Amino acid sequence: MVSGNIFHCRKNSWPPQEYISKSTLQLFDYDSSAPPEQAWRRRLNSHANLLKEFSVTFMEAIKMVRLGIRIWSYVREEASHGRKAPIDPFTRESCKPSASQGVPLGGMGSGSISRGFRGEFRQWQIIPSLCEASPVMANQFSIFISREGGNKNFASVLAPGQHEGLGSRRKPDDQGISSWGWNLSGQHSTYHALFPRAWTVYDGEPDPELKISCRQISPFIPHNYRESSLPAAVFVYTLVNTGKERAKVSLLFTWANSIGGSSHLSGDHINEPFKAEDGVSGVLLYHKTAKGNPPVTFAIAACETQNVSVSVLPSFGLSEGSDETAKGMWSKMVKDGQFDQENFNSGTSMPSSPGETLCAAVSASTWVEPHGKCTVAFSLAWASPKVKFVKGSTFNRRYTKFYGTSEKAAADLAHDALTHYNRWEEEIEKWQNPILKDETLPEWYKFTLFNELYFLVVGGTIWIDSPLLSLNMRNDQDQVRELENAVVKETEDRMSNRKRTIVERTIVSTYDSAAVTGHNHTDEKLNGDDDDNDVGRFLYLEGVEYIMWCTYDVHFYASFALLELFPRIELNIQRDFARAVLCEDGRKVKFLAEGNWGIRKVYGAVPHDLGTHDPWYEMNAYNIHDTSKWKDLNPKFVLQVYRDFAATGDLQFGIDVWPAVRAAMEYMEQFDRDGDGLIENDGFPDQTYDTWTVHGVSTYCGCLWLAALQAAAAMALELGDREFAERCKRKFLKAKPAFEEKLWNGSYFNYDSGSSGNSKSIQADQLAGQWYTASSGLPSLFEDSKIKSALRKVYDFNVMKVKGGRMGAVNGMHPNGKVDETCMQSREVWTGVTYGVAATMILAGMEEEAFTAAGGIFLAGWSEDGYGYWFQTPEAWTMDGHYRSLMYMRPLAIWGMQYAINRPKAILEAPRINIMDRIHLSPVIGGFSHNETGVRKIATKAKCFSNSVFNCAC
């Protein structure tokens, strides 16, 4: 735990009473309808500023002109094949990014829909790799209120003012949504976000005597691998009548048959009313997608109770030619507050015509007594059972394992959301409360920690229901099983003298039994994973603008979130990369930075990513540089694997991935060109900072390599491979003094050992290897005095010399206190890197500096005075706040801070004997070698390699 009450800043705490009157808060003090004390807050009438994208300098543009030409040519070539390039800096969205985002809807991996803090549904990502940012303005909640006596009537959309997408003027004869009552000012309404929930409180709007709280709930529940995959959300309205007259209140939920963009105009869409059990009823909207993509079905529903009646309008349109228009629907609600019950018997609608928008509505009506309270619940669900990638591979999404592949599963999902959301909330609060109630933690940190998890929903996440890559890969799967059996046998042979110890050993895990077995704490039956350890396969994008799945150099930072919350997903991602290490794909690829050619995937190299248009089959969608020559990917793989192995205590996982760990380490031997035990960089940006050139030994890659040597040695010892443990220890003992001699300058580690103008720069991320070493319970790489000195230098220069610490840590800083402007990345603040540096500081006992550094990311990105990057945290921003790559994976590294604060039990209780001291060196001298006694022999027996193109299935 963090010691002391540090970095408390009342301005950033945002007490709810500063946004909502104390009396209103007291009225909602039941049934979770009051927003929590720790939440991110905005007023609904806040202006959503347009965000400013970065631009390169003139000199940077000159340096990158050839790269730009090649990328432009590549983007055009991909477009000619109907594909989107994974990186396309030339195409701009028609919807300009703005500071309007809020908590997204649904669980993970079934497509996502974001919801802005003012209530608009936007950022549609139902089809893989496709993001439609513009809001669909017909999707709204509205309210109709009438008082006994008839002298007080209110009708309003529950979104403020003239929203974007409506146009500047209302036409008197318009039959569309501009005819609705857009009357809410938002002055007395506020939004409160604590992912995966959000609260919107209408404090006397539109009726001064009616207080309204809308609670948005999604099933993001750590260690629950069933419900966290569900594409559903619930909206619970709590109504409090403070007036003296009885009030009839009707809430309206309208929804367009659309998956964003212009998809509603493509035609052949159909709506159908439905009635389910437990009083749940609503409308199914069958959406026929374009370009051969699988169909999507939406369900909007409400729950009828003793006090609440539900009615539906299965279809209405936005134009004059519609049988029922949006204007007519609104007039009906103003007059009656509900629809005809006969509508439930109307059957399916006529298919929509091209150019026509088909919408549906669900109304829930109730009477609220004077000084009385009432609750009305709606749900939204979508069934998108098939995920189809551009090059043809099709999979079933994870949720279909529990609900099947029928399009009507949307009704079941909507029903279960309405009947189970109370339990969801109990589990969410059980997870969050220990952190929220920890008084040693800064207020801003608590809600930012949870809110940064938004990316696991909106980061293009795909979660399929089976580990099998596809039906036509059965033979390859048999080969995989043969390989796995060979690996297990070899490991068991090595461990024969430790078998008794292994059998008697109790595996200590950081997580409770639910984390290890997949059982739900409260309802094992509903979890659905009781007898099945398979949690499927998981993909998430590097960023919404960088369309590559599971980008590994970035996952290095983000993976702490998955390890902490969904460890079995994290282990499966590592298994995917372990298989990839032992694969080779000989297809030729042109690398755009230099214009040279190479093969797509080299044996022994960790891939940069799992692909774009055909993930798992065609990896390394990134083609700017040849990543088989990058120096950080392989060490990062070894470090992540060992951290996960140590944290979970999963021995079988260690056995599964060990051959790949050995292969990854052996592969790196080629980059030690002077025999000093260190790997050298090759004078180009051969690492995650892919515009920042490195010469000789670098502090970033070299530190990762030292840490990987130690992690590989420790893992080899644990798995009984003493020969390899000795090899790694010898290499480490040789490399460490060479690293310090070449890079330590008495205060910090130089950027690299070259002689360029930035070789002595202070890199914020210089101790990335030490971060993982400390996170894994391994001995420190350097003396504590050197670690703290380097971190203090980063804090004093990279953090505090940039806007007084209010921006985060700039990547590069010259020792004279000027920002390193060698390239665009050296002068940027990387949000995820700052969180990673803060985690390293916490592990080094520098908590105050850690939270000050990370607090700069909050101030610049999340605070009211910041740049408006909430729920779309970018990869980077410049000194003037211009962003690069919104909605990015790396900021999930804030969970690395939480991991450092509360390290797993297995790490804390590990033996205190230095693991390296337990490795006794024999007289045999040798480095790594590619001989037939190693991993490649096992892989060859399993027929994993050939001279032909290999589709990376093992």
Side-chain angles (χ1 to χ4, degrees), residues 50-51 92-100 122 133-134 164 883:
L50 292 177
L51 305 180
R92 291 290 176 265
E93 297 289 343
S94 57
C95 176
K96 298 287 186 182
S98 63
S100 57
R122 60 191 310 142
S134 301
E164 56 184 296
Y883 74 87

Side-chain angles (χ1 to χ4, degrees), residues 691-898:
T691 68
W692 200 357
T693 298
V694 198
H695 301 275
V697 177
S698 73
T699 185
Y700 182 70
C701 297
C703 189
L704 289 170
W705 173 240
L706 289 179
L709 284 168
Q710 190 167 245
M715 192 168 181
L717 187 65
E718 286 291 306
L719 295 177
D721 191 347
R722 290 187 174 274
E723 178 194 5
F724 197 74
E726 288 186 37
R727 291 185 186 183
C728 291
K729 179 174 180 177
R730 283 195 179 91
K731 184 73 70 174
F732 177 81
L733 292 176
K734 191 175 184 180
K736 179 183 174 182
F739 180 86
E740 295 192 44
E741 179 183 351
K742 293 182 177 182
L743 295 174
W744 179 251
N745 62 22
S747 178
Y748 62 94
F749 294 98
N750 290 333
Y751 176 69
D752 64 28
S753 63
S755 57
S756 64
N758 70 328
S759 288
K760 289 182 168 52
S761 287
I762 308 161
Q763 184 178 13
D765 212 3
Q766 62 184 270
L767 290 179
Q770 173 58 28
W771 174 26
Y772 261 72
T773 293
S775 297
S776 305
L778 293 170
S780 292
L781 296 176
F782 315 107
E783 296 90 337
D784 287 348
S785 59
K786 288 183 178 177
I787 293 170
K788 288 188 175 181
S789 175
L791 290 173
R792 169 58 64 179
K793 195 75 173 184
V794 169
Y795 177 77
D796 289 342
F797 280 70
N798 301 59
V799 176
M800 297 310 294
K801 289 187 182 295
V802 179
K803 300 286 180 72
R806 298 177 64 85
M807 291 281 291
V810 68
N811 283 335
M813 179 72 78
H814 290 296
N816 63 3
K818 293 184 178 180
V819 172
D820 184 344
E821 296 189 350
T822 303
C823 65
M824 70 177 190
Q825 291 178 344
S826 63
R827 63 183 172 89
E828 289 177 331
V829 172
W830 282 13
T831 52
V833 165
T834 300
Y835 287 142
V837 170
T840 312
M841 290 175 172
I842 292 171
L843 291 164
M846 299 170 63
E847 292 98 340
E848 185 172 351
E849 293 87 345
F851 282 97
T852 300
I857 302 300
F858 166 77
L859 291 170
W862 287 84
S863 75
E864 286 185 290
D865 299 327
Y867 298 108
Y869 296 132
W870 44 80
F871 299 102
Q872 51 188 333
T873 315
E875 156 76 316
W877 52 62
T878 56
M879 299 300 99
D880 54 3
H882 289 210
Y883 74 87
R884 181 169 63 80
S885 187
L886 291 175
M887 293 189 181
Y888 197 81
M889 181 198 293
R890 204 179 323 244
L892 285 169
I894 192 172
W895 279 87
M897 294 178 65
Q898 188 60 27

Side-chain angles (χ1 to χ4, degrees), residues 189-439:
S189 302
T190 51
Y191 181 82
H192 313 257
L194 188 65
F195 179 89
R197 296 187 293 172
W199 292 254
T200 306
V201 177
Y202 305 88
D203 196 356
E205 289 189 276
D207 181 347
E209 295 180 338
L210 186 70
K211 311 294 184 181
I212 308 166
S213 169
C214 174
R215 191 162 84 258
Q216 173 186 311
I217 310 153
S218 291
F220 184 98
I221 308 167
H223 310 304
N224 183 327
Y225 296 87
R226 178 190 189 276
E227 286 165 304
S228 295
S229 72
L230 303 186
V234 178
F235 307 90
V236 182
Y237 281 85
T238 302
L239 311 170
V240 181
N241 184 3
T242 62
K244 298 178 181 179
E245 299 164 320
R246 193 169 177 236
K248 182 182 180 182
V249 181
S250 296
L251 286 159
L252 178 70
F253 188 16
T254 53
W255 197 257
N257 198 322
S258 169
I259 56 171
S262 59
S263 61
H264 55 289
L265 302 175
S266 57
D268 285 335
H269 309 312
I270 297 171
N271 294 352
E272 179 186 23
F274 73 89
K275 274 194 172 185
E277 299 176 346
D278 306 308
V280 174
S281 54
V283 181
L284 287 167
L285 299 90
Y286 303 101
H287 185 85
K288 183 178 180 181
T289 58
K291 299 180 180 179
N293 285 302
V296 181
T297 304
F298 291 97
I300 55 172
C303 190
E304 188 158 309
T305 66
Q306 186 176 359
N307 301 317
V308 178
S309 63
V310 176
S311 59
V312 302
L313 183 63
S315 63
F316 68 89
L318 305 183
S319 59
E320 191 172 344
S322 305
D323 292 337
E324 182 73 62
T325 65
K327 183 176 183 179
M329 181 276 298
W330 188 268
S331 299
K332 172 74 172 175
M333 286 298 299
V334 169
K335 179 183 176 184
D336 301 331
Q338 60 190 18
F339 302 115
D340 299 332
Q341 288 296 315
E342 290 78 11
N343 289 346
F344 281 111
N345 302 319
S346 62
T348 57
S349 68
M350 293 293 293
S352 62
S353 302
E356 176 188 7
T357 303
L358 186 64
C359 304
V362 175
S363 169
S365 304
T366 186
W367 284 94
V368 189
E369 301 297 329
H371 307 292
K373 301 176 182 179
C374 187
T375 298
V376 178
F378 293 89
S379 65
L380 167 69
W382 55 97
S384 177
K386 301 287 184 183
V387 53
K388 179 182 177 182
F389 293 102
V390 171
K391 290 194 174 180
S393 297
T394 301
F395 306 96
N396 288 339
R397 295 191 193 263
R398 166 75 176 173
Y399 83 89
T400 63
K401 182 171 186 176
F402 317 108
Y403 285 84
T405 58
S406 168
E407 55 195 7
K408 292 186 180 292
D412 296 329
L413 286 159
H415 168 273
D416 289 355
L418 285 169
T419 54
H420 295 164
Y421 75 85
N422 283 319
R423 183 170 48 76
W424 295 353
E425 288 197 284
E426 289 174 4
E427 289 298 296
I428 291 167
E429 289 173 0
K430 183 179 177 181
W431 157 48
Q432 293 184 337
N433 281 343
I435 294 173
L436 297 177
K437 293 178 179 178
D438 186 349
E439 295 183 356

Side-chain angles (χ1 to χ4, degrees), residues 57 131 162 273 277 315 405 493 527 529 536 546 548 572 730:
T57 66
C131 180
Q162 279 295 105
E277 299 176 346
S315 63
T405 58
D493 289 342
N527 192 309
D529 290 332
Y546 296 165
M548 294 164 282
N572 276 3
R730 283 195 179 91

